[in-house]
Amino acid sequence: MPHLFRWAEILRQKDIVVETTGWRVREWLGSTPTNSAPWGLLFQIAWDLRKTDRPRLRSQGLAWLRDSAESGAWNFVWQRLWDYEPGDQDLVTLGIEWLQANPAHVGWSYVWQKLLTQSVLSSILLRCALQAVPLQSESSADLPIWQLIEEKLAPTRTELLQSITRKLVRVQSPHKMDKGIEFIMTRMEGEPVTTTLAPVLAETMDQPAWAHLWQQLAAHLREVEFLGLGRDWLKGREDKPEWSHVWRRLLDEDFEKIDLLPIGRNWLKDREDKPEWSHVWRRLLDGDFEKIDLLP
């Protein structure tokens, strides 16, 4: 089936008409149960090869969309119908319902961007976007989507930055992390950390990229409330590989040294096999802390 689809795509792109094949696919579609996995793929092939059948196929496609929201082909079938009849109210309703139910779907942005042309949907599409941004897998589409949200839907800076922060605490790519931080920092001027980023970071400390994000932001945001989040993160996470980096960043910012230096000394005990051990030990010596005990 995937090979047939790729073959049909080549024909469509080159605008080659193969009438007999298109008719056979149309018959095949008619004999295939709509609840079977291949139906959505067959529909796309029939749609592309049988342009004269599109009025009839449209009604079939709409019926299938209503009953098959869990199908992986759903957004592709919806897009074909939308391009054929943009703004159709049935498709608007189905599209919004699908966006709300599938914020993490890989095809989410395609449906969302099509509906973005309907200005009356702005408030609904904004809510959908703020829900989806943190859940979407990281991709090259992230930054363009954030820019579209900002330009087309006019969110408050706080709600947009909070949504993006929820995304960044999960991001694994250093490049995408840097781009995200750059996006945030260019919009943080005049925004209080305590009401924008801090609440989200306080809720997401167990996310995999939290420590890396906090360290990057700490280079720009030195408010006591923000640095205090790093101190809170240290508790109970002593065996995380990022622990020593967060601890040292706090010391570099001259934050609560009187408390943090003993915490570092205690961390050394029974962790001699950790690759970060020597960095913590050296930082304690640089701070002139208990040399008489640390050197032996």
Side-chain angles (χ1 to χ4, degrees), residues 8 10 42 51 63 69 73 156 171 178 183 232 236 284:
I10 292 171
L42 277 173
K51 294 181 180 180
T156 67
V171 164
D178 290 343
F183 187 95
D232 295 342
L284 289 166

Side-chain angles (χ1 to χ4, degrees), residues 141-157:
D142 288 338
L143 193 58
I145 291 295
W146 301 346
Q147 291 168 338
L148 279 174
I149 295 170
E150 186 175 45
E151 294 166 7
K152 302 293 186 181
L153 302 178
T156 67
R157 273 197 291 182

